[in-house]
Amino acid sequence: MSLMMSQPSLVESPFDYERLFADTLQTVNQRLGRYLDKDACDASLEAEGLWEAMRYGTLDGGKRIRSVLAIEACKACGGTLAQILPTVCAIEMIHAQSLIHDDLPCMDNDDLRRGKPSVHKAFGESTAVLAGDALIAMAFGLIARETPLNDKVTPAALLAVITDFSDVTSVRGLVNGQYVDILHEGKPYTPEILEYIHTYKTGALFRFSLRAGATLAGASEAVVERFTLLGQKLGLAFQIVDDLLDIASTSEALGKTAGKDQIQEKATYPACFGAEASRQTVERLSRESLALLDMTDGMPQGYDPAALKALVGFISNRIK
Ligand code: FPP
Ligand code: MG
């Protein structure tokens, strides 16, 4: 279980993610709960099961790492929580949807997620598909309807974020990443294919989270690009650690079925390069991420990357 713990931490001191970001996590969970409240959905008698499945898949559990990245990027670029919160909830809805669909029998066929039966096990397959569908469509509406406009968040900036969201949630993002992941199950693959899978399957939402945070804070194009690169590195590091944990941890600790990548012959970093080389890649990506956060040009006065740096450490050293 201690695969990442033997390494020196990249942050100055180990920290408790849940404690450090307790307020942020509470705010995000509360807002998500409000958006998925029974009264906000048309949860009439007939649709109650659908609404319940959406809440079940979205609300309980989840580390909310993408949320925290988006919020901290927005704050680091001089923005406020209010500006980014609807987008953050949209990100979590897409993330939850992608896991609901990923667990389906026609995809990874996984019965356990976030420490409980996956949505299709609890509610049935057709409801799981529809709950995911509803979450996708709802996510777009949230960004459009709920984001407060101001001098930085202009209608044009908001439109750019929504267009970007469409790209990362479709065939320039999660969907093509997942497609290529499944396509190569049990088949030969190259390191380029592996990087492609992770860049889209996981990296797309990491890039979007950081980029949206910077964009909605009114950051310059150069800064938005820098945060996009940061998202690429962190998304890749996150997925490599995920693949390492799949081998070294337990289902109980992870809240999802461990050891499945090998059984399903998935394209992963440890399978392709070995565990040690994979850990070294995570170390390199972490160092490069920290270096990006040290760059101050284009950042507002008083720029403080401490929270984002702590997140880099958490992503690289996490044990669940
Ligand atoms: C988990 O990876 C799965 C993903 C990161 C993405 C899955 C994407 C889809 C199902 C497409 C989503 C569609 C839209 C419209 C956004 P994993 O299987 O490696 O991780 P796991 O061990 O947590 O299952
Ligand atoms: Mg899976």
Side-chain angles (χ1 to χ4, degrees), residues 99 102-103 108 110 113 178 201 260-261 264 266:
L99 299 179
D102 181 63
D103 289 338
D108 282 3
D110 221 313
R113 176 66 68 181
Q178 178 79 345
K201 183 180 83 167
K260 282 203 75 190
D261 290 343
Q264 295 181 323
K266 288 281 191 186

Side-chain angles (χ1 to χ4, degrees), residues 24-82:
T24 307
L25 298 177
Q26 197 190 15
T27 305
V28 172
N29 288 331
Q30 267 174 3
R31 182 65 76 96
L32 265 174
R34 204 180 92 198
Y35 288 147
L36 287 170
D37 188 76
K38 195 174 182 175
D39 297 334
C41 309
D42 186 10
S44 61
L45 191 61
E46 301 290 329
E48 205 155 295
L50 175 65
W51 164 81
E52 240 184 85
M54 290 164 71
R55 284 177 67 87
Y56 178 95
T58 312
L59 295 186
D60 298 333
K63 294 180 278 295
R64 312 284 186 228
I65 290 177
R66 295 154 190 81
S67 293
V68 182
L69 283 171
I71 290 168
E72 293 303 332
C74 187
K75 284 190 194 160
C77 294
T80 64
L81 181 67

Side-chain angles (χ1 to χ4, degrees), residues 2-8 279:
S2 61
L3 86 161
M4 308 304 285
M5 294 181 85
S6 56
Q7 305 168 64
R279 274 191 288 271

Side-chain angles (χ1 to χ4, degrees), residues 248-285:
S249 191
T250 61
S251 302
E252 200 188 11
L254 297 176
K256 59 183 186 179
T257 317
K260 282 203 75 190
D261 290 343
Q262 209 177 359
I263 294 167
Q264 295 181 323
E265 296 182 65
K266 288 281 191 186
T268 69
Y269 269 70
C272 187
F273 301 107
E276 189 46 41
S278 302
R279 274 191 288 271
Q280 282 169 14
T281 303
V282 173
E283 287 280 317
R284 175 179 57 75
L285 290 165

Side-chain angles (χ1 to χ4, degrees), residues 63 66 95 99 102-103 108-118 201-202 238-247 249-261 318-320:
K63 294 180 278 295
R66 295 154 190 81
H95 178 48
L99 299 179
D102 181 63
D103 289 338
D108 282 3
N109 192 18
D110 221 313
D111 292 353
L112 185 67
R113 176 66 68 181
R114 293 177 168 172
K116 53 189 190 180
S118 2
K201 183 180 83 167
T202 310
F238 180 90
Q239 188 60 47
I240 298 173
V241 173
D242 222 58
D243 295 346
L244 284 163
L245 289 171
D246 182 82
I247 298 168
S249 191
T250 61
S251 302
E252 200 188 11
L254 297 176
K256 59 183 186 179
T257 317
K260 282 203 75 190
D261 290 343
R318 74 195 169 97
I319 52 167
K320 61 179 183 162

